[in-house]
Amino acid sequence: MNAPRRSSSAAPTTGSARTVVTVARLLGTSIIARTGRSVGRVDDIVVRVDSSTESPPVTGIVAVVGGRRLYVPIWRIRSLARGRVSLSTNAISSRGFALRSGEILVRDGILGHRFVDRCTAEFVLAVDAELDDTGGSWMLTRIVTCSRRRIGTHWRVHDRERITRDWTRVEPST
């Protein structure tokens, strides 16, 4: 099994064949139309979680435009990068956002939630998530966690030591 990768920050990194972007760096960033004008801000990332894939694919983003939450499908996004999302079109559909079956929001459904690391049998708290460009699609491949330890009747978060864990190693805690 792969050992957890220790992370000192949640900044995006670029590998030789892959681009990795953290969700924390995308949230609140500008969405730029093909013309170069800002058309909104990133509110959340939508992924499809099912048993047919190891890592959940990104299906789109939730944009805030004029106070409304709108869905932007991944095929309309030209690039995801630190500080901006570039569209391949000049406009966003004004149809409101609604989750479809099998989809979850990363910020609302993963970040801040407890998971169990299957390899270490440890409770961890998801504080960030990493998206990988796999050459044609974006996948949620890892979550950045910090340990949670029980002290009496309360959980205490140890935020100093963040560990990046493969998505396949963790499962939601019930």
Side-chain angles (χ1 to χ4, degrees):
M1 298 254 162
N2 295 337
R5 183 175 57 162
R6 300 203 186 277
S7 173
S8 59
S9 73
T13 59
T14 303
S16 58
R18 293 195 148 142
T19 300
V20 178
V21 178
T22 63
V23 171
R25 297 285 177 146
L26 283 176
L27 296 176
T29 61
S30 295
I31 300 170
I32 308 298
R34 198 173 70 214
T35 59
R37 135 183 104 84
S38 176
V39 293
R41 296 220 170 263
V42 176
D43 189 53
D44 214 330
I45 309 296
V46 184
V47 295
R48 176 170 300 286
V49 179
D50 58 24
S51 60
S52 66
T53 59
E54 279 190 15
S55 299
V58 175
T59 60
I61 62 172
V62 178
V64 174
V65 179
R68 292 188 61 207
R69 294 180 82 205
L70 307 174
Y71 178 71
V72 180
I74 194 69
W75 55 269
R76 287 190 180 248
I77 298 171
R78 182 175 46 196
S79 69
L80 296 175
R82 179 180 173 180
R84 71 189 281 162
V85 172
S86 299
L87 298 178
S88 58
T89 62
N90 286 326
I92 295 176
S93 170
S94 61
R95 190 172 44 199
F97 169 71
L99 273 177
R100 296 177 294 188
S101 177
E103 290 181 336
I104 61 171
L105 298 171
V106 175
R107 187 189 73 190
D108 292 343
I110 295 175
L111 303 186
H113 290 268
R114 261 185 357 172
F115 287 81
V116 175
D117 186 321
R118 289 187 203 118
C119 298
T120 63
E122 165 184 31
F123 284 111
V124 295
L125 180 71
V127 294
D128 203 352
E130 291 184 354
L131 306 176
D132 277 12
D133 180 2
T134 60
S137 63
W138 285 88
M139 309 289 272
L140 187 152
T141 55
R142 289 172 296 283
I143 61 171
V144 179
T145 64
C146 37
S147 298
R148 290 173 52 116
R149 291 184 174 76
R150 182 166 245 162
I151 299 176
T153 59
H154 301 289
W155 287 96
R156 182 174 194 117
V157 175
H158 295 275
D159 195 32
R160 290 185 184 154
E161 186 175 296
R162 292 180 175 213
I163 298 175
T164 303
R165 303 169 196 263
D166 287 337
W167 176 259
T168 57
R169 286 180 59 137
V170 297
E171 65 183 49
S173 171
T174 55

